[in-house]
Amino acid sequence: MLQRPAGALSSTPEQLAKRARRAWLLFAAVALLIVTAALYGAGLYGRTAEVETLAAQGRTDANLKVALLRAVLESPRALPLLLSADQQVRDALTQKNAAAIDVLNRKLEGLVSGTKASVLYVIGTDGLAIASSNWREPISFVGNDYRFRDYFSGAMQAGTAEYFALGNVSKRPGLYISRRVGDAAAPLGVVVVKMEFDQLEADWREANRPAYVSDENGVVLITSVPSWRFMTTAPLAAPKQAAIRDSQQFGDAPLVPLPIKHPRALSPDVSIVHAVTPGGSDAEYLSLSTTVPSTPWRLDYLVPVEAPIAAAVREMRLLALGVVVPLLGLAAYLLWRRQSAQMRIAAEQAARTELERRVVERTEDLSRARDRLQAEIIGHRSTEAKLQIVQQDLVQANRLAILGQVAAGVAHEINQPVATIRAYADNARTFLDRKQTGPAEENLGAIAALTERIGSITEELKAFARKGRTAAEPVELRGVIEGAVMLLRSRFAGRLDALAIDLPPPSLKVMGNRVRLEQVLINLFQNALEALDGRDDARVQVSVEETADGVTVGVSDNGPGIPPAILKSLFTPFNTSKEKGLGLGLVISKDIVADYGGRIEVSSDDSGTRFTIHLQTAA
């Protein structure tokens, strides 16, 4: 139980209300301060964590790009080494006749087509190219003077050199890898392979993250942003810029700094920068820098950070709110509970005297309320009794409706046997008048059998009315068809010639009950014959076919077909196009077939109607 605060007994509810308002204002200020601090701290932590995650992912991507660059470089580096020892290269440099040079041109041309090199060419000691893989092209290097190129002078002095420059003939940038032919004492010339990085740059561009490779002077050589090529990572000193221009290494490139500024270093190889990409605005990137082994180059990889950091900050702030808000809510609940306890104690103290004065009045109110409640209870009981009576009436009405349907079904189903009995009785009277006792006895026997059949039909329909099911048993399908025809013979005397029946073998049995299956066929035969009444070309085709799924019985007629309006609800009770029909025959037939695991399908058009019965084959 809550203990009463020390000052509660001497404080009025009005005084406690004023204190509560001041406490809530103070609580709101503290809560706002806590939420602000939590959001700021969560944002700072989310940004730091996301930057570390992006840096780890960026290092992996940058290392993959460096590995891809090295793989691209290694293949062409072997060509100058191999060609410097090739005898045909030496023959062309020493003999310098047209035949040897022609052989070398063709050889270089074939090597280029099988490697990733852009151009292969051989330079004599005088700096003039004597053979080239592009000797057939208008921009052939043959005859050009390359003494001013560092890769020529470097190879002549040191034996090998690598030099990235803009081609003075092709105007395409690439890496020139050269090697001296012969020893330093007696050099014969230089073999040069030019490597272009168009495919590598295209692969980098697919990632939509800027990447570029710069040389020891900070000049961008290879980049996924074409407009950044030959820009610099930092402003070049005037002497250095003049030297590069004199060497024509990068042609007329302006050598201006990249549009990257405001670097904020996070580690020696990671920093936050702002960059402007072509067609874009100023955006924040995480810049990762790494060296390219076996070269003096560095690769810089820019990872966009604004969207990931914003998402991480938003997630961390939501998480912080998810922790802080429930805690503040708990604190607010405790504060409210404490104030409520104080207010309740003060209110109890102030109301005790008033409560004693109003005891009698309250007792009277309770008495009146009790009387109203009793009256309501009596009213509820009366309403409940009326509802039970209405419910019983509805149940009785439902039973009468079901009884009416069953009675209509019984009348419909025994109609054919009764008509047949009437025909047999008339025939028997005629035979007795003629003193022909033999045929009369046969007719009387048939009448007795039909009365038994009427009893069976009545029992089956009563079972159907009780939602019961007659157990299925193997039944000869041939006997079912013959029994149905027999029941219809007297009613449709002279018209049964329209029935063309392909009787199945006696061995063919299906699962069902003979009387109920006869009811189905009688309904279908009778409907077909009535639809053909008055037609000279009347024909009802009855066929039986064994399938993989069971047995199908088809009943087809060449009548006028079933109207579309009736066909849509053909198996709905009391849906019929006959003037005296009840519309129950097909409904009962469908239920009978369904009881034995089968189904009935119907198709109809202007050329006739076909009912197909699917039954299960007896094992």
CSV table of all heavy atoms in Angstrom, one decimal, residues 487-533:
chain,number,residue,atom,x,y,z
A,487,LEU,N,-38.4,-49.0,-67.4
A,487,LEU,CA,-39.3,-48.1,-66.8
A,487,LEU,C,-39.9,-47.1,-67.7
A,487,LEU,O,-41.0,-46.6,-67.5
A,487,LEU,CB,-38.6,-47.4,-65.6
A,487,LEU,CG,-38.3,-48.2,-64.4
A,487,LEU,CD1,-37.5,-47.4,-63.4
A,487,LEU,CD2,-39.6,-48.6,-63.7
A,488,LEU,N,-39.2,-46.7,-68.8
A,488,LEU,CA,-39.7,-45.7,-69.7
A,488,LEU,C,-40.5,-46.3,-70.9
A,488,LEU,O,-41.0,-45.6,-71.7
A,488,LEU,CB,-38.5,-44.9,-70.2
A,488,LEU,CG,-37.8,-44.0,-69.2
A,488,LEU,CD1,-36.6,-43.4,-69.9
A,488,LEU,CD2,-38.7,-42.9,-68.7
A,489,ARG,N,-40.4,-47.6,-71.0
A,489,ARG,CA,-40.9,-48.3,-72.2
A,489,ARG,C,-42.4,-48.0,-72.4
A,489,ARG,O,-42.9,-47.6,-73.5
A,489,ARG,CB,-40.7,-49.8,-72.2
A,489,ARG,CG,-41.2,-50.5,-73.4
A,489,ARG,CD,-40.8,-51.9,-73.4
A,489,ARG,NE,-39.4,-52.1,-73.7
A,489,ARG,CZ,-38.5,-52.6,-72.8
A,489,ARG,NH1,-39.0,-53.0,-71.6
A,489,ARG,NH2,-37.3,-52.6,-73.0
A,490,SER,N,-43.2,-48.1,-71.3
A,490,SER,CA,-44.7,-47.9,-71.5
A,490,SER,C,-45.0,-46.5,-71.6
A,490,SER,O,-46.0,-46.1,-72.3
A,490,SER,CB,-45.4,-48.6,-70.3
A,490,SER,OG,-44.8,-48.1,-69.1
A,491,ARG,N,-44.3,-45.6,-71.0
A,491,ARG,CA,-44.7,-44.1,-71.1
A,491,ARG,C,-44.3,-43.6,-72.4
A,491,ARG,O,-45.0,-42.7,-73.0
A,491,ARG,CB,-43.9,-43.3,-70.0
A,491,ARG,CG,-44.3,-41.9,-70.0
A,491,ARG,CD,-43.7,-41.1,-68.9
A,491,ARG,NE,-44.0,-39.7,-69.1
A,491,ARG,CZ,-43.5,-38.7,-68.3
A,491,ARG,NH1,-42.7,-39.0,-67.3
A,491,ARG,NH2,-43.9,-37.5,-68.4
A,492,PHE,N,-43.2,-44.0,-73.0
A,492,PHE,CA,-42.7,-43.5,-74.3
A,492,PHE,C,-42.9,-44.6,-75.4
A,492,PHE,O,-42.0,-44.8,-76.2
A,492,PHE,CB,-41.3,-43.0,-74.2
A,492,PHE,CG,-41.1,-41.8,-73.4
A,492,PHE,CD1,-40.7,-41.9,-72.0
A,492,PHE,CD2,-41.3,-40.5,-73.9
A,492,PHE,CE1,-40.6,-40.8,-71.2
A,492,PHE,CE2,-41.1,-39.4,-73.1
A,492,PHE,CZ,-40.8,-39.6,-71.7
A,493,ALA,N,-44.0,-45.3,-75.3
A,493,ALA,CA,-44.2,-46.4,-76.3
A,493,ALA,C,-44.2,-45.8,-77.7
A,493,ALA,O,-44.9,-44.8,-78.0
A,493,ALA,CB,-45.6,-47.1,-76.0
A,494,GLY,N,-43.5,-46.4,-78.6
A,494,GLY,CA,-43.4,-46.0,-80.0
A,494,GLY,C,-42.3,-44.9,-80.2
A,494,GLY,O,-42.1,-44.5,-81.3
A,495,ARG,N,-41.7,-44.4,-79.1
A,495,ARG,CA,-40.7,-43.3,-79.3
A,495,ARG,C,-39.4,-43.7,-78.8
A,495,ARG,O,-38.4,-43.0,-78.9
A,495,ARG,CB,-41.2,-42.0,-78.5
A,495,ARG,CG,-42.4,-41.4,-79.1
A,495,ARG,CD,-43.1,-40.5,-78.1
A,495,ARG,NE,-42.3,-39.5,-77.6
A,495,ARG,CZ,-42.5,-38.6,-76.6
A,495,ARG,NH1,-43.7,-38.7,-76.0
A,495,ARG,NH2,-41.7,-37.7,-76.3
A,496,LEU,N,-39.3,-44.9,-78.2
A,496,LEU,CA,-38.0,-45.4,-77.7
A,496,LEU,C,-37.0,-45.8,-78.9
A,496,LEU,O,-35.9,-46.1,-78.6
A,496,LEU,CB,-38.2,-46.6,-76.8
A,496,LEU,CG,-38.8,-46.3,-75.4
A,496,LEU,CD1,-38.9,-47.5,-74.5
A,496,LEU,CD2,-38.0,-45.2,-74.7
A,497,ASP,N,-37.6,-45.8,-80.1
A,497,ASP,CA,-36.7,-46.1,-81.2
A,497,ASP,C,-35.6,-45.0,-81.4
A,497,ASP,O,-34.6,-45.2,-82.0
A,497,ASP,CB,-37.5,-46.3,-82.5
A,497,ASP,CG,-38.4,-47.5,-82.5
A,497,ASP,OD1,-38.2,-48.4,-81.7
A,497,ASP,OD2,-39.4,-47.5,-83.3
A,498,ALA,N,-35.9,-43.9,-80.8
A,498,ALA,CA,-34.9,-42.8,-80.9
A,498,ALA,C,-33.7,-43.0,-80.0
A,498,ALA,O,-32.7,-42.4,-80.2
A,498,ALA,CB,-35.6,-41.4,-80.5
A,499,LEU,N,-33.8,-44.0,-79.1
A,499,LEU,CA,-32.7,-44.3,-78.2
A,499,LEU,C,-31.7,-45.2,-78.9
A,499,LEU,O,-32.1,-46.3,-79.4
A,499,LEU,CB,-33.2,-45.0,-76.9
A,499,LEU,CG,-33.8,-44.1,-75.8
A,499,LEU,CD1,-34.3,-45.0,-74.7
A,499,LEU,CD2,-32.7,-43.2,-75.3
A,500,ALA,N,-30.5,-44.8,-79.1
A,500,ALA,CA,-29.4,-45.6,-79.7
A,500,ALA,C,-28.4,-45.8,-78.6
A,500,ALA,O,-27.6,-44.9,-78.2
A,500,ALA,CB,-28.8,-44.9,-80.9
A,501,ILE,N,-28.4,-47.1,-78.0
A,501,ILE,CA,-27.6,-47.4,-76.8
A,501,ILE,C,-26.5,-48.3,-77.2
A,501,ILE,O,-26.8,-49.4,-77.8
A,501,ILE,CB,-28.5,-47.9,-75.7
A,501,ILE,CG1,-29.7,-47.0,-75.4
A,501,ILE,CG2,-27.7,-48.3,-74.5
A,501,ILE,CD1,-30.7,-47.5,-74.4
A,502,ASP,N,-25.3,-48.0,-76.8
A,502,ASP,CA,-24.2,-48.9,-77.0
A,502,ASP,C,-24.0,-49.5,-75.6
A,502,ASP,O,-23.3,-48.9,-74.7
A,502,ASP,CB,-22.9,-48.1,-77.4
A,502,ASP,CG,-23.1,-47.5,-78.8
A,502,ASP,OD1,-23.8,-48.0,-79.6
A,502,ASP,OD2,-22.5,-46.4,-79.0
A,503,LEU,N,-24.6,-50.7,-75.4
A,503,LEU,CA,-24.6,-51.3,-74.1
A,503,LEU,C,-23.2,-51.8,-73.7
A,503,LEU,O,-22.5,-52.4,-74.6
A,503,LEU,CB,-25.5,-52.5,-74.0
A,503,LEU,CG,-27.0,-52.2,-74.0
A,503,LEU,CD1,-27.9,-53.4,-74.2
A,503,LEU,CD2,-27.4,-51.4,-72.8
A,504,PRO,N,-22.7,-51.6,-72.5
A,504,PRO,CA,-21.4,-52.1,-72.1
A,504,PRO,C,-21.4,-53.6,-71.8
A,504,PRO,O,-22.5,-54.2,-71.7
A,504,PRO,CB,-21.1,-51.3,-70.8
A,504,PRO,CG,-22.5,-51.1,-70.2
A,504,PRO,CD,-23.4,-50.9,-71.4
A,505,PRO,N,-20.3,-54.2,-71.7
A,505,PRO,CA,-20.3,-55.7,-71.4
A,505,PRO,C,-20.8,-55.9,-69.9
A,505,PRO,O,-20.7,-55.0,-69.1
A,505,PRO,CB,-18.8,-56.0,-71.5
A,505,PRO,CG,-18.1,-54.7,-71.3
A,505,PRO,CD,-19.0,-53.7,-71.9
A,506,PRO,N,-21.4,-57.1,-69.7
A,506,PRO,CA,-21.9,-57.4,-68.3
A,506,PRO,C,-20.8,-57.3,-67.3
A,506,PRO,O,-21.1,-57.1,-66.1
A,506,PRO,CB,-22.5,-58.8,-68.5
A,506,PRO,CG,-22.7,-59.0,-69.9
A,506,PRO,CD,-21.7,-58.2,-70.6
A,507,SER,N,-19.6,-57.4,-67.6
A,507,SER,CA,-18.5,-57.4,-66.6
A,507,SER,C,-18.2,-56.0,-66.1
A,507,SER,O,-17.5,-55.9,-65.1
A,507,SER,CB,-17.3,-58.1,-67.2
A,507,SER,OG,-16.8,-57.3,-68.4
A,508,LEU,N,-18.7,-55.0,-66.8
A,508,LEU,CA,-18.3,-53.6,-66.4
A,508,LEU,C,-19.2,-53.2,-65.2
A,508,LEU,O,-20.5,-53.2,-65.3
A,508,LEU,CB,-18.5,-52.7,-67.5
A,508,LEU,CG,-18.2,-51.2,-67.2
A,508,LEU,CD1,-16.7,-51.1,-66.8
A,508,LEU,CD2,-18.5,-50.3,-68.4
A,509,LYS,N,-18.6,-53.0,-64.1
A,509,LYS,CA,-19.3,-52.6,-62.9
A,509,LYS,C,-18.8,-51.3,-62.4
A,509,LYS,O,-17.7,-50.9,-62.5
A,509,LYS,CB,-19.2,-53.7,-61.8
A,509,LYS,CG,-19.8,-55.0,-62.2
A,509,LYS,CD,-19.7,-56.0,-61.0
A,509,LYS,CE,-20.3,-57.3,-61.4
A,509,LYS,NZ,-20.3,-58.3,-60.2
A,510,VAL,N,-19.8,-50.5,-61.8
A,510,VAL,CA,-19.4,-49.2,-61.2
A,510,VAL,C,-19.9,-49.2,-59.7
A,510,VAL,O,-20.7,-50.1,-59.3
A,510,VAL,CB,-20.1,-48.0,-61.9
A,510,VAL,CG1,-19.6,-48.0,-63.4
A,510,VAL,CG2,-21.6,-48.2,-61.9
A,511,MET,N,-19.4,-48.3,-59.0
A,511,MET,CA,-19.8,-48.1,-57.5
A,511,MET,C,-21.0,-47.3,-57.4
A,511,MET,O,-21.1,-46.2,-58.0
A,511,MET,CB,-18.6,-47.5,-56.7
A,511,MET,CG,-17.4,-48.3,-56.7
A,511,MET,SD,-17.6,-50.0,-56.0
A,511,MET,CE,-18.1,-49.6,-54.3
A,512,GLY,N,-22.1,-47.8,-56.7
A,512,GLY,CA,-23.3,-47.1,-56.5
A,512,GLY,C,-24.4,-48.0,-56.1
A,512,GLY,O,-24.2,-49.1,-55.5
A,513,ASN,N,-25.7,-47.6,-56.3
A,513,ASN,CA,-26.9,-48.3,-55.9
A,513,ASN,C,-27.7,-48.4,-57.2
A,513,ASN,O,-28.0,-47.3,-57.8
A,513,ASN,CB,-27.6,-47.6,-54.8
A,513,ASN,CG,-28.9,-48.3,-54.4
A,513,ASN,OD1,-29.9,-48.0,-55.0
A,513,ASN,ND2,-28.8,-49.3,-53.5
A,514,ARG,N,-28.2,-49.6,-57.5
A,514,ARG,CA,-28.9,-49.7,-58.8
A,514,ARG,C,-30.1,-48.8,-58.9
A,514,ARG,O,-30.3,-48.2,-59.9
A,514,ARG,CB,-29.3,-51.2,-59.0
A,514,ARG,CG,-30.1,-51.4,-60.2
A,514,ARG,CD,-30.3,-52.8,-60.6
A,514,ARG,NE,-31.1,-53.0,-61.8
A,514,ARG,CZ,-31.1,-54.1,-62.6
A,514,ARG,NH1,-30.4,-55.1,-62.3
A,514,ARG,NH2,-31.9,-54.1,-63.6
A,515,VAL,N,-30.9,-48.8,-57.9
A,515,VAL,CA,-32.2,-48.0,-58.0
A,515,VAL,C,-31.9,-46.5,-58.1
A,515,VAL,O,-32.5,-45.8,-59.0
A,515,VAL,CB,-33.0,-48.2,-56.7
A,515,VAL,CG1,-34.2,-47.3,-56.7
A,515,VAL,CG2,-33.5,-49.7,-56.6
A,516,ARG,N,-30.9,-46.0,-57.4
A,516,ARG,CA,-30.6,-44.6,-57.5
A,516,ARG,C,-29.9,-44.2,-58.8
A,516,ARG,O,-30.2,-43.2,-59.4
A,516,ARG,CB,-29.7,-44.2,-56.3
A,516,ARG,CG,-30.3,-44.4,-55.0
A,516,ARG,CD,-29.5,-43.8,-53.8
A,516,ARG,NE,-29.7,-42.4,-53.8
A,516,ARG,CZ,-29.0,-41.5,-53.0
A,516,ARG,NH1,-28.0,-42.0,-52.3
A,516,ARG,NH2,-29.3,-40.3,-53.0
A,517,LEU,N,-29.1,-45.1,-59.3
A,517,LEU,CA,-28.5,-44.9,-60.6
A,517,LEU,C,-29.5,-44.9,-61.7
A,517,LEU,O,-29.4,-44.2,-62.7
A,517,LEU,CB,-27.3,-45.8,-60.9
A,517,LEU,CG,-26.1,-45.7,-60.0
A,517,LEU,CD1,-25.0,-46.7,-60.4
A,517,LEU,CD2,-25.5,-44.3,-60.1
A,518,GLU,N,-30.5,-45.9,-61.6
A,518,GLU,CA,-31.6,-45.9,-62.6
A,518,GLU,C,-32.4,-44.6,-62.6
A,518,GLU,O,-32.8,-44.1,-63.6
A,518,GLU,CB,-32.6,-47.0,-62.3
A,518,GLU,CG,-32.0,-48.4,-62.7
A,518,GLU,CD,-33.0,-49.5,-62.4
A,518,GLU,OE1,-34.0,-49.2,-61.8
A,518,GLU,OE2,-32.7,-50.7,-62.7
A,519,GLN,N,-32.6,-44.0,-61.4
A,519,GLN,CA,-33.3,-42.7,-61.3
A,519,GLN,C,-32.5,-41.6,-62.1
A,519,GLN,O,-33.1,-40.8,-62.8
A,519,GLN,CB,-33.4,-42.3,-59.8
A,519,GLN,CG,-34.3,-43.1,-59.0
A,519,GLN,CD,-34.3,-42.7,-57.5
A,519,GLN,OE1,-33.7,-41.7,-57.2
A,519,GLN,NE2,-34.9,-43.5,-56.7
A,520,VAL,N,-31.2,-41.7,-62.0
A,520,VAL,CA,-30.4,-40.7,-62.7
A,520,VAL,C,-30.6,-40.9,-64.3
A,520,VAL,O,-30.9,-39.9,-65.0
A,520,VAL,CB,-28.9,-40.8,-62.4
A,520,VAL,CG1,-28.1,-39.9,-63.3
A,520,VAL,CG2,-28.7,-40.5,-60.9
A,521,LEU,N,-30.5,-42.1,-64.7
A,521,LEU,CA,-30.6,-42.3,-66.2
A,521,LEU,C,-32.0,-42.1,-66.7
A,521,LEU,O,-32.3,-41.6,-67.8
A,521,LEU,CB,-30.2,-43.8,-66.5
A,521,LEU,CG,-28.7,-44.1,-66.3
A,521,LEU,CD1,-28.4,-45.5,-66.7
A,521,LEU,CD2,-27.8,-43.1,-67.1
A,522,ILE,N,-33.1,-42.4,-65.8
A,522,ILE,CA,-34.5,-42.1,-66.2
A,522,ILE,C,-34.6,-40.6,-66.4
A,522,ILE,O,-35.3,-40.2,-67.4
A,522,ILE,CB,-35.4,-42.7,-65.1
A,522,ILE,CG1,-35.5,-44.2,-65.2
A,522,ILE,CG2,-36.8,-42.1,-65.3
A,522,ILE,CD1,-36.2,-44.9,-64.1
A,523,ASN,N,-34.1,-39.9,-65.5
A,523,ASN,CA,-34.3,-38.4,-65.6
A,523,ASN,C,-33.6,-37.9,-66.9
A,523,ASN,O,-34.2,-37.1,-67.6
A,523,ASN,CB,-33.6,-37.7,-64.4
A,523,ASN,CG,-34.5,-37.7,-63.2
A,523,ASN,OD1,-35.7,-37.4,-63.3
A,523,ASN,ND2,-33.9,-37.9,-62.0
A,524,LEU,N,-32.4,-38.4,-67.2
A,524,LEU,CA,-31.7,-37.9,-68.4
A,524,LEU,C,-32.4,-38.4,-69.7
A,524,LEU,O,-32.6,-37.6,-70.6
A,524,LEU,CB,-30.3,-38.4,-68.4
A,524,LEU,CG,-29.4,-37.8,-67.2
A,524,LEU,CD1,-28.0,-38.3,-67.3
A,524,LEU,CD2,-29.4,-36.3,-67.2
A,525,PHE,N,-32.8,-39.7,-69.7
A,525,PHE,CA,-33.5,-40.2,-70.9
A,525,PHE,C,-34.8,-39.5,-71.1
A,525,PHE,O,-35.2,-39.1,-72.3
A,525,PHE,CB,-33.8,-41.7,-70.7
A,525,PHE,CG,-32.5,-42.6,-70.7
A,525,PHE,CD1,-32.6,-43.9,-70.4
A,525,PHE,CD2,-31.3,-42.0,-71.1
A,525,PHE,CE1,-31.5,-44.7,-70.4
A,525,PHE,CE2,-30.2,-42.8,-71.1
A,525,PHE,CZ,-30.2,-44.2,-70.7
A,526,GLN,N,-35.6,-39.3,-70.0
A,526,GLN,CA,-36.9,-38.6,-70.1
A,526,GLN,C,-36.7,-37.2,-70.6
A,526,GLN,O,-37.5,-36.8,-71.5
A,526,GLN,CB,-37.6,-38.7,-68.8
A,526,GLN,CG,-38.9,-37.9,-68.7
A,526,GLN,CD,-39.5,-37.9,-67.4
A,526,GLN,OE1,-40.0,-39.0,-66.9
A,526,GLN,NE2,-39.5,-36.8,-66.7
A,527,ASN,N,-35.7,-36.5,-70.1
A,527,ASN,CA,-35.5,-35.1,-70.5
A,527,ASN,C,-35.2,-35.0,-72.0
A,527,ASN,O,-35.6,-34.2,-72.8
A,527,ASN,CB,-34.4,-34.4,-69.7
A,527,ASN,CG,-34.8,-34.2,-68.3
A,527,ASN,OD1,-36.0,-34.2,-68.0
A,527,ASN,ND2,-33.9,-33.9,-67.4
A,528,ALA,N,-34.3,-36.0,-72.4
A,528,ALA,CA,-33.9,-36.0,-73.8
A,528,ALA,C,-35.1,-36.3,-74.8
A,528,ALA,O,-35.3,-35.6,-75.8
A,528,ALA,CB,-32.8,-37.0,-74.0
A,529,LEU,N,-35.9,-37.3,-74.4
A,529,LEU,CA,-37.0,-37.7,-75.3
A,529,LEU,C,-38.1,-36.6,-75.3
A,529,LEU,O,-38.7,-36.4,-76.4
A,529,LEU,CB,-37.6,-39.0,-74.7
A,529,LEU,CG,-36.7,-40.3,-74.9
A,529,LEU,CD1,-37.4,-41.5,-74.2
A,529,LEU,CD2,-36.5,-40.6,-76.4
A,530,GLU,N,-38.3,-35.9,-74.2
A,530,GLU,CA,-39.3,-34.8,-74.2
A,530,GLU,C,-38.8,-33.7,-75.0
A,530,GLU,O,-39.6,-33.0,-75.6
A,530,GLU,CB,-39.6,-34.4,-72.7
A,530,GLU,CG,-40.4,-35.4,-71.9
A,530,GLU,CD,-40.6,-35.0,-70.5
A,530,GLU,OE1,-39.9,-34.0,-70.1
A,530,GLU,OE2,-41.3,-35.7,-69.8
A,531,ALA,N,-37.5,-33.4,-75.0
A,531,ALA,CA,-36.9,-32.3,-75.8
A,531,ALA,C,-37.0,-32.6,-77.3
A,531,ALA,O,-37.1,-31.7,-78.1
A,531,ALA,CB,-35.4,-32.1,-75.4
A,532,LEU,N,-37.2,-33.9,-77.7
A,532,LEU,CA,-37.2,-34.3,-79.1
A,532,LEU,C,-38.7,-34.6,-79.5
A,532,LEU,O,-38.9,-35.1,-80.6
A,532,LEU,CB,-36.4,-35.5,-79.3
A,532,LEU,CG,-34.9,-35.4,-79.1
A,532,LEU,CD1,-34.2,-36.7,-79.2
A,532,LEU,CD2,-34.3,-34.3,-80.0
A,533,ASP,N,-39.6,-34.3,-78.7
A,533,ASP,CA,-41.0,-34.6,-79.0
A,533,ASP,C,-41.5,-33.9,-80.3
A,533,ASP,O,-41.3,-32.7,-80.4
A,533,ASP,CB,-41.9,-34.2,-77.8
A,533,ASP,CG,-43.3,-34.7,-78.0
A,533,ASP,OD1,-43.5,-35.7,-78.7
A,533,ASP,OD2,-44.2,-34.1,-77.3
